[in-house]
């Protein structure tokens, strides 16, 4: 119906309602101001509504209360023409709220919610659950849960809108909700006509879990993952088959998370368990709004600020998942916290004086033994016996050689041969005994030598100053980096000025959201898939990025590229524009983060230097005598071996 400014209509009591300016409109109707009632608006349907629809609005108006008014733009009364024709409804005016997808999308969050860190997202998720719970308390069902059905304020409050589409009961009558967005529709309702379907609070529980997941996991949809089977897997099909891409059964279901997305456990065990119940089990197991409120409230209490990036908050006891995600994707996930890139947080001169005071342990102490061990008496005796046996052997040999030279053995020859045999027997046995004794000293020496070699190597490794000197050189380099940070800042700012054409083009393309675009072959499901892979605006469209997105072959890729190129052709570079304030803030934030990292490296480095030096000096003090003992044993074994073998030492 066409409505003119100042046109008069009537409310249910017959009071005159004067229509003001148009605020906005959708496919079903338009919303107008109400003259002289700043806190109310009028929704006028494009077409005349049926008596059943009019009755539904009257029933909803009868349920209106202060409680529901805090969380929903709830109908307060039927609006009719002067001819008594139902045409619309009156409801409270929503002020300052923005669509929830503007919050859970990292790109729009940075501009639309400039103070929104993870604590804010968790709080909004909890408030959304409270709003769902309030609707259910009235015996109503939201039904058409979607990314445009929740408005979020800058104070983390939420308001449900389009409430006239909710399912309402009155006695035996059910005023249903016969529409839905497939990416928020539970498995049991996927692919079927919603006409005549009676919705339940448990159906809403699925949509609530999806909204919560989108908020906590940076706009990623829980069912938009990498399908490891053959063919494509749409989000709707994945929902129908309960292929939760982040769940513990994802491998069994042939699904995996998109690249560079965090594990479910980064939100803690309680929240992870609720997601598993919502997405990977039977419909009866889905968490209620109250369960979400409890788990999310506990999560917010257990968040801590990242030591490397003040914009990041994460669960206590784990490393920051957002640092690694930003490093891998290049996407800034949260609005920047203002930081001074030059002013340090420590007294650098004082700290450096303490570092300089840490002196090197110096060379490894030499292991010496004085006096050096002399050969044992037993070893000397073994050596002497061996020498005597050697001389005896040589003497017998010489006698036999002499006899052979002068003409053979004297008569009786057999007697002399017998004597020679006996002498040779005892001589050989004696030599064998001496050889065995000498070999025992050789074996002992080899063992002592190996023990000393291992001990000496470990002594050198544990007591040398190499680690200390290396760490100190690293800290000198860190100090130099800190000293040159102003130069780095200037270089980054100069580069920012040089890159203005590219940056302005990117900002131009960033204005065009894929969600709002009409691109052949790319409906809501595929748009959600793109968002789950970090592709939200025309600026994100790139062939290399699209290559890894499920379901996007050459045809859809070319369609997106054509859309992007057409938008790029409308770009006009403005050389008079300087760097954007947000870009300057990003550079300052990067340098401030680098400064904090370097300063922390120095603080940690001082502690590490002290620890390294203490370890080296303690090792030298505690182990020098045991090491010297091993060395002494080696020298003793060496001297004994030389004596037993008759060698000089």
């Amino acid at each position: 119906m066409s409505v003119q400014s100042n046109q008069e209509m009537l409310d249910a009591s017959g009071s005159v309602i004067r229509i003001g300016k148009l605020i906005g409109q959708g496919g079903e109707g338009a919303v107008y101001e109400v003259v002289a009632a700043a806190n109310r608006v009028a929704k006028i349907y494009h077409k005349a509504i049926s008596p059943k629809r009019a009755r539904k609005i009257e029933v909803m108006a009868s349920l209106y209360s202060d409680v529901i008014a805090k969380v929903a733009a709830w109908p307060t009364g039927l609006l009719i023409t002067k001819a008594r024709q139902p045409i619309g409804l009156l409801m409270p005016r929503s002020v300052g709220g923005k669509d929830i997808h503007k919050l859970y999308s990292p790109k729009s969050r940075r501009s639309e919610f400039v103070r929104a860190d993870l604590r804010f997202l968790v709080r909004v998720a909890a408030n959304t659950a409270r709003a769902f719970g309030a609707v259910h308390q009235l015996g109503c069902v939201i039904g058409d849960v979607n990314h445009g059905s929740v408005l979020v304020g800058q104070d983390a409050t939420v308001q449900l809108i389009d409430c006239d589409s909710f399912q309402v009961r009155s006695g035996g009558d059910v005023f249903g909700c016969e529409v839905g967005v497939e990416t928020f529709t539970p498995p049991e309702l996927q692919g079927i006509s919603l006409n005549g379907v009676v919705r339940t609070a448990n159906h809403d529980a699925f949509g609530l879990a999806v909204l919560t997941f989108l908020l906590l996991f940076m706009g990623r949809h829980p069912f938009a993952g990498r399908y490891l089977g053959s063919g494509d897997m749409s989000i709707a099909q994945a929902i129908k088959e309960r292929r939760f891409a982040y769940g513990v059964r994802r491998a069994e279901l042939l699904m995996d998370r998109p690249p560079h997305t965090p594990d479910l456990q980064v939100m803690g065990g309680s929240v992870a368990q609720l997601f598993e119940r919502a997405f990977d089990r039977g419909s009866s197991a889905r968490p209620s709004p109250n369960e979400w409120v409890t788990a999310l409230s506990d999560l917010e209490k257990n968040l801590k600020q990242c030591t490397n990036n003040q914009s990041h908050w994460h669960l206590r006891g784990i490393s920051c998942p957002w640092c690694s995600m930003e490093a891998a994707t290049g996407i800034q996930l949260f609005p920047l916290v203002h930081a001074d890139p030059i002013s340090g947080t420590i007294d650098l001169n004082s700290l450096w004086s303490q570092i300089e005071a840490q002196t090197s342990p110096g060379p490894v102490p030499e292991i010496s033994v004085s006096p050096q061990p002399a050969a044992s008496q037993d070893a000397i005796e073994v050596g002497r016996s061996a020498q005597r046996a050697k001389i005896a052997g040589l003497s017998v040999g010489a006698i036999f050689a002499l006899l052979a030279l002068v003409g053979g053995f004297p008569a009786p020859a057999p007697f002399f041969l017998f004597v020679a045999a006996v002498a040779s027997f005892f001589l050989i046995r004696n030599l064998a005994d001496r050889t065995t004794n000498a070999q025992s000293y050789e074996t002992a020496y080899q063992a002592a030598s190996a023990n000393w070699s291992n001990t000496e190597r470990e002594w050198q490794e544990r007591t040398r100053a190499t680690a200390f000197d290396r760490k100190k050189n690293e800290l000198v380099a860190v100090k130099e980096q800190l000293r040159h940070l102003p130069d780095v800042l200037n270089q980054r700012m100069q580069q920012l000025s040089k890159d203005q054409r590219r940056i302005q083009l990117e900002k131009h393309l960033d204005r065009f959201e894929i969600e709002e675009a009409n691109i052949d072959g790319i409906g809501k499901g595929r748009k959600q898939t793109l968002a789950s892979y970090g592709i939200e605006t025309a600026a994100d469209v790139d062939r290399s990025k699209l290559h890894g997105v499920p379901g996007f072959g050459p045809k859809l890729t070319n369609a997106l590229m054509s859309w992007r190129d057409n938008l790029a052709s409308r770009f006009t570079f403005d050389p008079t524009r300087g760097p954007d304030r947000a870009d300057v803030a990003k550079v300052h934030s990067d340098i401030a983060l680098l400064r904090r990292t370097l300063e922390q490296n120095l603080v940690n480095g001082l502690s590490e230097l002290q620890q390294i030096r203490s370890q080296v000096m303690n090792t030298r003090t505690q182990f020098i005598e045991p090491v010297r003992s091993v060395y002494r044993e080696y020298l003793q074994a060496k001297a004994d071996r030389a004596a037993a073998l008759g060698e000089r030492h």
Side-chain angles (χ1 to χ4, degrees), residues 395-407:
S395 298
V396 172
I399 291 170
F400 275 83
L402 180 61
L403 289 173
L405 184 63
V406 299

Side-chain angles (χ1 to χ4, degrees), residues 267-501:
M267 294 301 162
S270 297
V271 171
Q273 187 180 37
L274 293 187
F275 281 130
E276 293 281 4
R277 285 174 50 193
F279 300 138
D280 193 33
R281 301 184 190 174
S283 58
S284 61
R286 291 178 192 136
S288 67
N290 284 342
E291 288 180 277
W292 279 115
V293 170
T294 299
L296 292 168
S297 298
D298 289 344
L299 172 60
E300 185 178 358
K301 293 174 186 175
N302 284 286
L303 294 178
K304 61 170 287 188
Q305 193 170 34
C306 174
T307 56
N308 293 324
N309 191 324
Q310 292 179 308
S311 301
H312 296 172
W313 286 77
H314 61 87
L315 189 66
R316 297 180 190 278
I318 67 170
S319 58
C320 178
W322 317 124
C323 286
S324 56
M325 189 172 177
E326 285 188 347
T329 64
I331 298 173
Q332 180 188 325
L333 299 176
F334 299 95
L336 294 170
V337 174
H338 177 73
D340 185 341
I342 301 302
S343 298
T345 58
I346 62 172
D347 185 343
L348 182 58
N349 292 332
S350 175
L351 178 61
W352 190 251
S353 296
Q354 296 178 65
I355 292 173
E356 286 280 78
Q358 300 301 310
T359 57
S360 174
V364 176
E366 183 180 352
I367 303 299
S368 61
V369 173
S370 180
Q372 291 204 0
S376 66
Q377 196 60 40
D378 287 344
I380 293 172
E381 186 58 35
V382 169
R384 286 174 179 172
S385 297
Q387 189 66 24
R388 286 195 296 268
K390 182 178 179 183
I391 293 171
L394 291 173
S395 298
V396 172
I399 291 170
F400 275 83
L402 180 61
L403 289 173
L405 184 63
V406 299
F409 297 98
F415 174 76
F416 282 100
L417 289 173
F418 171 74
V419 172
V422 172
S424 297
F425 168 76
F426 284 104
L427 178 62
I428 291 170
R429 190 177 71 174
N430 187 277
L431 285 171
D433 291 342
R434 302 309 176 194
T435 301
T436 300
N437 289 337
Q439 184 60 45
S440 68
Y441 283 100
E442 175 68 30
T443 301
Y445 167 74
Q446 293 297 335
S449 178
N451 189 27
W452 167 241
S453 178
N454 292 334
T455 301
E456 183 185 31
R457 181 171 57 254
E458 187 175 356
W459 170 257
Q460 291 284 340
E461 289 175 354
R462 295 181 62 183
T463 62
R464 63 167 57 107
T466 306
F468 179 93
D469 296 338
R470 180 170 57 246
K471 173 54 67 175
K472 199 159 188 179
N473 288 336
E474 289 176 4
L475 297 182
V476 170
V478 170
K479 181 190 176 189
E480 283 300 297
Q481 282 184 273
L482 277 169
R483 190 169 69 86
H484 288 291
L485 272 187
D487 297 333
V488 175
L489 176 61
N490 289 335
Q491 291 168 6
R492 287 284 304 273
M493 292 303 298
Q494 290 173 10
Q495 190 62 47
L496 188 62
S497 297
K498 292 178 182 178
D499 289 345
Q500 278 308 293
R501 176 178 288 277

Side-chain angles (χ1 to χ4, degrees), residues 577-598:
R577 280 176 54 188
D580 189 83
R581 290 175 59 186
D583 294 330
V584 172
K586 178 66 167 62
V587 171
H588 284 192
S589 177
D590 289 345
I591 300 300
L593 174 58
L594 178 56
R595 172 175 287 280
R596 286 195 301 273
T597 301
L598 294 174

